[in-house]
Amino acid sequence: MMTAFDPLSETRKATLSHDAELELPQVDDAGPIPAVGTTPPAILAEQAAAGRRGAAWRLLYWVIESDPRAIIAIASLDDDRLAHHLVEFISLGTWAGKPFVIPPPIRTAFARTQLRTLFLPRSGMDTARAERVLLSVVRDSNPAVRDTAIHILGIIGNRTATPVLIKALEDPAARVRMQAAKALGRVGDPTAVPALIAALHSADEQMGSTIFSSLVKIGPAAVPAILNESTSSSAWVRWQCMRALSEGKDNRALPALVNALRDPDYSVAWMAAKGLKGFGKRSLGPVLHLLSRGQTSMWLVQTSSFILSNLYRLDPKLKPYLEPLVQEMRRVSYQTTTAIVAQKVLSQLIAEGFIQAVSM
């Protein structure tokens, strides 16, 4: 049974977002639509697969009109050529290597979204055929075609595509590399983590941000690799690591985030502080332990004060312990007194059962 197209689905959002990134031209839908005719969609599908452009636009028109006969015709046709031509049309606006004039409704970004949906499970063609064609098209000579194929593979989310997507991280076209990084995040296969980290080392800022976003989507399996990069000599990489570790809220990230409160780069230290805010009371012991080690700096005072003040606002029971420490850190003598007061507060909170002993 065919499922109806849902313009609010996550799939639609992803494909529309992709078109927005490509800055597709806006098309005026005004003007007469040529006669579509009465040829059954099943016959149109066969003719379109054979490369006939007149049949192709008529079939596509019925798809855009959400005619179930057209969708069934595409789904039931045992011919990979039709899927190949569809990817080409979505990417380039040509059919079987030839340009052709098509009605305005089929030239819009929304139409491309509708046509991409035909490749998705339970929405159009057989999944095995869709993936087979897309995986072969990833090797196309045109980067726009490769970009489209990788984008759809990412939405499908099957991990069988992971090796091909990893290979695409080395594509000569930047847009394809970017799309591969996004797709790997959507697929969520942990085996892609080493390749994403390797690609990070030669990435520009935009690609790097995309890689980190994908690592966050992959989840806990990516945490060790991100922790390893968190000591990079690049402040930008460290900042991205703090952002990624903050979003994951994995306890393994706590030591790295706490230590980053004294990072020599101000933006890295503050990203770590904002990230620790999301860990709530779990951050209290490690932050106090860091302060008690006697290496107080102005940045550490500012970032840790931010965290401690937030904690006692959330839990008033902590205020009698933490507020005096925050006030101490604001004194001129903070460099000599902070560690002593922090150690005292830490010992009190452990003794009274507020937190457990800390070892970092």
Side-chain angles (χ1 to χ4, degrees):
M1 180 177 179
M2 295 293 112
T3 55
F5 288 112
D6 178 8
L8 297 180
S9 68
E10 290 302 314
T11 297
R12 296 258 178 171
K13 293 176 184 177
T15 51
L16 285 170
S17 173
H18 176 254
D19 282 342
E21 291 168 5
L22 295 180
E23 298 182 352
L24 294 176
Q26 297 298 312
V27 178
D28 184 0
D29 286 353
I33 298 173
V36 179
T38 58
T39 305
I43 295 177
L44 291 176
E46 293 177 359
Q47 294 174 345
R52 294 180 59 177
R53 290 169 287 173
W57 83 254
R58 288 171 172 81
L59 179 65
L60 300 183
Y61 178 82
W62 290 124
V63 171
I64 302 307
E65 290 294 302
S66 298
D67 190 311
R69 297 174 303 162
I71 300 172
I72 291 172
I74 292 172
S76 59
L77 183 64
D78 188 15
D79 192 332
D80 286 1
R81 293 179 300 172
L82 181 60
H84 274 279
H85 297 334
L86 276 170
V87 175
E88 177 192 334
F89 175 76
I90 293 168
S91 308
L92 306 173
T94 60
W95 192 271
K98 299 177 182 179
F100 66 119
V101 178
I102 54 177
I106 308 176
R107 286 186 253 152
T108 64
F110 178 80
R112 286 176 169 81
T113 298
Q114 192 102 338
L115 296 176
R116 284 191 194 94
T117 310
L118 293 171
F119 289 88
L120 305 182
R122 300 178 300 280
S123 297
M125 67 188 70
D126 176 70
T127 300
R129 171 175 291 110
E131 291 187 350
R132 181 171 63 247
V133 170
L134 292 169
L135 289 170
S136 67
V137 171
V138 168
R139 299 189 294 271
D140 193 272
S141 60
N142 192 300
V145 176
R146 300 197 300 273
D147 176 280
T148 295
I150 290 170
H151 176 65
I152 299 174
L153 284 169
I155 296 174
I156 291 173
N158 195 326
R159 292 188 179 185
T160 58
T162 299
V164 171
L165 297 176
I166 288 175
K167 181 65 177 176
L169 289 172
E170 303 173 356
D171 194 277
R175 63 187 285 187
V176 177
R177 296 195 298 272
M178 183 83 68
Q179 201 60 245
K182 290 180 181 179
L184 286 168
R186 291 188 179 115
V187 171
D189 189 342
T191 63
V193 171
L196 286 168
I197 292 295
L200 176 67
H201 295 156
S202 59
D204 60 18
E205 186 170 332
Q206 186 179 14
M207 179 65 169
S209 295
T210 300
I211 289 173
F212 273 108
S213 294
S214 290
L215 290 170
V216 170
K217 290 178 181 177
I218 289 173
V223 170
I226 299 173
L227 287 172
N228 189 56
E229 293 297 317
S230 67
T231 57
S232 168
S233 59
S234 165
W236 181 84
V237 171
R238 297 197 305 276
W239 185 92
Q240 289 286 356
C241 286
M242 295 307 110
R243 179 179 69 85
L245 293 172
S246 300
E247 292 185 28
K249 295 182 175 58
D250 190 302
N251 281 337
R252 292 173 294 176
L254 268 173
L257 287 166
V258 171
N259 286 327
L261 294 177
R262 56 183 181 182
D263 191 279
D265 187 278
Y266 195 63
S267 64
V268 176
W270 270 106
M271 176 54 68
K274 292 176 182 177
L276 285 167
K277 181 179 177 182
F279 281 76
K281 197 173 175 180
R282 285 182 288 168
S283 66
L284 178 55
V287 170
L288 290 174
H289 180 75
L290 178 66
L291 290 170
S292 69
R293 288 161 60 180
Q295 299 176 352
T296 309
S297 66
M298 179 59 69
W299 288 7
L300 179 56
V301 163
Q302 292 177 355
T303 53
S304 57
S305 293
F306 169 78
I307 296 167
L308 296 177
S309 298
N310 180 70
L311 283 172
Y312 71 67
R313 280 195 295 267
L314 292 175
D315 186 353
K317 293 180 181 179
L318 294 172
K319 188 171 183 178
Y321 302 91
L322 301 183
E323 188 175 42
L325 174 57
V326 171
Q327 292 175 348
E328 189 66 41
M329 288 191 289
R330 293 171 179 167
R331 298 181 188 276
V332 176
S333 59
Y334 73 91
Q335 288 185 310
T336 56
T337 59
T338 295
I340 298 171
V341 177
Q343 181 59 60
K344 180 181 178 181
V345 171
L346 178 62
S347 299
Q348 288 178 329
L349 290 173
I350 292 173
E352 297 181 27
F354 281 94
I355 58 176
Q356 295 181 342
V358 180
S359 59
M360 291 180 63

